[in-house]
């Protein structure tokens, strides 16, 4: 089972809920489709094409017991007979390509790579499951870049990392040292990256992120930020978490007051004070937006089923919180980006399709503008798609007008294309902006939609999980009656 803390039974969503990134009741028909009066259907399970799952080899297994590895491709006799990976023979290759992966995937735009953090923590080099997660990531990167190599070795190393991780948890969960806890968190993060590169469903990454990294951080508590090693890990995980929550409209434990306080306090530490960028405070605001969307979706679904006669307090609170977030984004923009804009801050792309500002040599500035533009549209979308409710209540909500949305979408696409071609920023960072741009491109013409899909495909060439988001977007367009044949 994926994710060291994951004890849930795997569930599937119907196709419409999956396309809209909605929670699904799992019934047939599901509650969402029943309420909307729409047909409900599920993708048939394929026993030969499932996410990676580890079967057996728990802490109670006998030494030498076998581990069944099911991969997200059709199994063949050759795959079943693949030999166990021999890390000692290929470490130089694995670690070299792990460094290559880091150089091609900057998750913050800053000069410091996550490998810089890992290499400074000598205690990690003695943790076998952590080393196997590094080897697995290096092995799959080598395969993707060269088009050759031992694919089975990367899955075997992945398997060994997961088994070792779960065994360590079974044995030490109550008495785990800080260094071992840090190793656990880095391991779950690297295994999640492996899944993003290898699993087209995207579910393996969610399992590792939600039931591995996120739960591990939550269990450690904000005090993990008080050590340099823990704080470095937290910074990397935070970028993944904000992307995950926006893509899936989910809540995050990082919005709790104690975590927000710990995150902001990081920058007063002497080890990090010189690394602060405006992006860091923007991410704190961004984390609050999917939390609000979760509340708004739940409220609107309840209103669909049983409309309120007056104006509920929850509606007022949601609208007020949305306006506060819009004010926070505008204030942040005025402080950090307004001088770079030619107009009211909408950041239009140039006629040539190039980014609206000179971002050469400053990847953090590029990522900052991309995230601000995307989250501005996302916040508007929390209310746009259910506007009939807010109009019925007569409440002001933080929506953007259509021309501003269109300019923002143009900026998202221009910046993404620039970053994909000329930066070391990880393509994973572009998934939620592209998902937002794609949803808004539904009514902007075929050429625009094709542009979104080209960018999605470019991301998917390096991270297989992007295919799931791409196909979900196409399904959403079809659901809205748009067919680009």
């Amino acid at each position: 089972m994926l994710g060291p803390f994951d004890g849930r039974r795997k569930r599937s969503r119907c196709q419409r809920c999956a396309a809209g990134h909605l929670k699904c009741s799992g019934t047939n028909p599901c509650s969402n489709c029943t309420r909307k009066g729409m047909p409900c259907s599920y993708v048939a399970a394929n026993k030969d094409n499932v996410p990676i799952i580890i079967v057996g080899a728990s802490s109670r297994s006998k030494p030498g017991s076998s581990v069944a590895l099911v991969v997200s491709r059709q199994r063949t006799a050759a795959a079943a007979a693949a030999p166990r990976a021999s890390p000692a023979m290929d470490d130089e290759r694995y670690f070299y390509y792990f460094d290559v992966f880091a150089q091609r995937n900057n998750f913050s735009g800053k000069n410091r790579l996550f490998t810089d953090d890992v290499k400074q923590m000598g205690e990690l080099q003695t943790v076998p499951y952590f080393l196997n997660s590094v080897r697995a990531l290096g092995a799959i990167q080598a395969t993707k870049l060269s088009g050759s190599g031992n694919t089975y070795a990367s899955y075997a190393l992945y398997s060994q990392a997961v088994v070792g991780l779960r065994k360590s948890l079974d044995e030490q969960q109550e008495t785990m040292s800080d260094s071992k806890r840090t190793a656990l968190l880095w391991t779950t993060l690297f295994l999640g990256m492996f899944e993003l590169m290898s699993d087209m469903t995207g579910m393996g990454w969610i399992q590792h992120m939600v039931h591995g990294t996120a739960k591990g951080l939550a269990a450690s508590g904000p005090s993990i930020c008080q050590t340099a090693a823990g704080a470095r890990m937290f910074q990397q995980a935070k970028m993944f978490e904000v992307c995950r929550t926006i893509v899936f409209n989910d809540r995050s434990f990082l919005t709790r007051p104690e975590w927000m306080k710990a995150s902001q306090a990081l920058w007063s530490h002497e080890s990090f004070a010189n690394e602060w960028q405006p992006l860091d405070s923007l991410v704190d605001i961004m984390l609050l937006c999917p939390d609000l969307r979760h509340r708004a979706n739940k409220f609107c679904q309840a209103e669909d089923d049983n409309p309120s006669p007056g104006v509920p307090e929850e509606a007022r609170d949601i609208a007020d919180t949305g306006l506060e977030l819009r004010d926070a984004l505008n204030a942040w923009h005025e402080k950090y980006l307004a001088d770079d804009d030619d107009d009211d801050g909408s950041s239009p792309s140039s006629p040539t399709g190039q980014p609206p500002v000179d971002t050469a040599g400053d990847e953090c500035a590029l990522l900052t503008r991309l995230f601000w533009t995307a989250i501005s549209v996302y916040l508007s979308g929390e209310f746009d798609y259910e506007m009939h409710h807010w109009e019925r209540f007569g409440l002001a909500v933080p929506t953007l007008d259509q021309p501003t949305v269109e300019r923002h979408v143009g900026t998202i696409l221009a910046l993404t294309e620039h970053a994909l071609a000329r930066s070391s920023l990880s393509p994973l960072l572009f998934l939620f902006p592209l998902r937002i741009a794609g949803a808004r491109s539904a009514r902007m013409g075929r050429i625009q939609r094709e542009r979104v899909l080209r960018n999605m495909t470019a991301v998917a060439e390096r991270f297989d999980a992007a295919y799931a988001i791409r196909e979900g977007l196409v399904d959403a367009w079809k659901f809205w009656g748009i067919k680009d044949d």
Side-chain angles (χ1 to χ4, degrees):
M1 185 178 294
L2 285 177
F5 299 102
D6 186 7
R8 303 179 309 166
R9 179 172 62 88
K10 182 175 175 60
R11 281 186 174 272
S12 298
R13 290 185 291 179
C14 75
Q15 289 178 291
R16 292 190 183 278
C17 288
H21 295 296
L22 300 174
K23 288 189 176 180
C24 184
S25 64
T27 57
N28 195 355
C30 76
S31 57
N32 289 330
C33 291
T34 299
R35 184 174 59 256
K36 299 289 186 181
M38 303 300 295
C40 184
S41 61
Y42 291 78
V43 176
N46 184 343
K47 294 181 180 179
D48 294 322
N49 189 20
V50 296
I52 301 173
I53 299 174
I54 301 300
V55 182
S58 68
S59 62
R60 293 178 292 277
S61 301
K62 296 180 180 179
S65 61
S66 62
V67 177
L69 181 64
V70 185
V71 301
S72 57
R73 293 172 175 79
Q74 291 197 355
R75 296 193 64 179
T76 64
R84 182 181 177 86
S86 178
M89 294 176 61
D90 295 304
D91 269 0
E92 183 176 356
R93 175 180 172 85
Y94 295 150
F95 295 147
Y96 169 79
Y97 278 102
F98 176 75
D99 278 340
V100 170
F101 176 85
Q103 293 164 16
R104 288 165 53 88
N105 290 277
N106 187 318
F107 293 106
S108 67
K110 301 178 183 180
N111 293 330
R112 189 181 184 92
L113 301 178
F114 64 82
T115 48
D116 297 329
D117 301 328
V118 170
K119 289 175 181 177
Q120 287 187 3
M121 291 177 266
E123 65 271 18
L124 295 181
Q125 315 310 317
T126 64
V127 183
Y129 58 77
F130 167 78
L131 291 175
N132 280 330
S133 72
V134 170
R135 292 176 178 120
L137 199 54
I140 197 167
Q141 178 67 88
T143 299
K144 280 188 169 288
L145 285 178
S146 66
S148 61
N150 190 349
T151 302
Y152 306 124
S154 64
Y155 286 109
L157 289 163
Y158 169 96
S159 168
Q160 292 168 36
V162 174
V163 172
L165 178 61
R166 293 185 67 86
K167 183 176 181 180
S168 178
L169 278 170
D170 289 344
E171 294 174 348
Q172 305 180 49
Q173 196 160 8
E174 299 300 325
T175 59
M176 188 173 289
S177 66
D178 287 343
S179 61
K180 287 292 180 67
R181 194 176 298 278
T182 301
L184 179 151
L185 293 171
W186 278 110
T187 300
T188 60
L189 195 65
F190 290 159
L191 293 177
M193 293 180 190
F194 182 98
E195 288 285 359
L196 284 164
M197 296 180 75
S198 61
D199 176 19
M200 290 186 181
T201 71
M203 295 310 298
W205 169 54
I206 297 302
Q207 294 278 29
H208 277 302
M209 191 66 209
V210 176
H211 299 286
T213 310
K215 280 196 175 180
L217 275 173
S220 300
S223 61
I224 193 173
C225 298
Q226 296 174 7
T227 66
R232 293 288 182 192
M233 195 281 145
F234 169 76
Q235 287 179 296
Q236 295 292 337
K238 185 177 178 181
M239 294 300 289
F240 277 86
E241 179 70 353
V242 71
C243 293
R244 180 194 69 81
T245 56
I246 294 174
V247 168
F248 294 98
N249 299 324
D250 203 1
R251 311 180 89 165
S252 173
F253 71 97
L254 293 180
T255 59
R256 297 172 189 165
E258 63 271 24
W259 280 101
M260 297 292 284
K261 182 179 179 180
S263 178
Q264 293 161 7
L266 266 182
W267 308 112
S268 62
H269 193 284
E270 60 181 10
S271 299
F272 302 97
N274 295 330
E275 297 179 21
W276 183 89
Q277 293 289 337
L279 176 63
D280 296 303
S281 59
L282 176 61
V283 168
D284 287 336
I285 302 173
M286 291 170 63
L287 278 165
L288 298 172
C289 292
D291 186 85
L292 178 63
R293 186 158 197 158
H294 184 274
R295 284 181 60 197
N297 285 348
K298 184 177 179 179
F299 171 77
C300 289
Q301 288 177 7
E303 286 295 312
D304 287 339
D305 294 335
N306 187 21
S308 301
V311 183
E313 282 304 311
E314 176 70 354
R316 294 184 190 276
D317 191 57
I318 290 172
D320 288 346
T321 302
L323 292 172
E324 289 170 3
L325 283 172
R326 179 64 72 196
D327 287 344
L329 286 171
N330 288 341
W332 181 94
H333 174 272
E334 184 65 24
K335 187 173 183 179
Y336 299 113
L337 286 184
D339 289 343
D340 294 330
D341 289 336
D342 296 326
D343 56 3
D344 61 354
S346 57
S347 306
S349 57
S350 69
T352 62
Q354 296 302 315
V357 295
D358 181 9
T359 57
D362 193 345
E363 295 185 354
C364 191
L366 187 156
L367 184 62
T368 300
R369 180 172 292 283
L370 176 62
F371 274 19
W372 180 83
T373 307
I375 201 64
S376 296
V377 178
Y378 180 86
L379 178 59
S380 181
E382 296 183 10
F383 299 90
D384 288 336
Y385 296 117
E386 299 287 350
M387 198 62 197
H388 60 285
H389 287 303
W390 310 108
E391 290 176 343
R392 178 165 64 88
F393 296 136
L395 295 172
V397 290
T399 55
L400 302 175
D401 59 48
Q402 186 60 23
T404 300
V405 170
E406 291 180 5
R407 290 196 298 271
H408 279 327
V409 170
T411 298
I412 290 171
L413 294 176
L415 289 172
T416 299
E417 288 161 354
H418 177 90
L420 284 170
R422 302 177 187 144
S423 82
S424 65
L425 292 170
S426 176
L428 292 173
L429 298 170
F430 313 143
L431 284 178
F432 86 80
L434 287 173
R435 181 65 177 81
I436 292 167
R440 293 295 184 151
S441 296
R443 306 298 178 188
M444 293 185 187
R446 179 172 180 171
I447 293 177
Q448 178 106 318
R449 291 190 291 276
E450 290 177 345
R451 189 179 177 192
V452 171
L453 294 181
R454 281 197 303 273
N455 281 284
M456 281 283 195
T457 301
V459 176
E461 287 173 354
R462 289 169 60 178
F463 293 92
D464 288 3
Y467 284 114
I469 297 176
R470 184 187 187 280
E471 292 310 307
L473 189 56
V474 172
D475 289 342
W477 290 342
K478 291 179 181 178
F479 178 71
W480 295 328
I482 299 167
K483 296 182 180 179
D484 294 330
D485 296 323

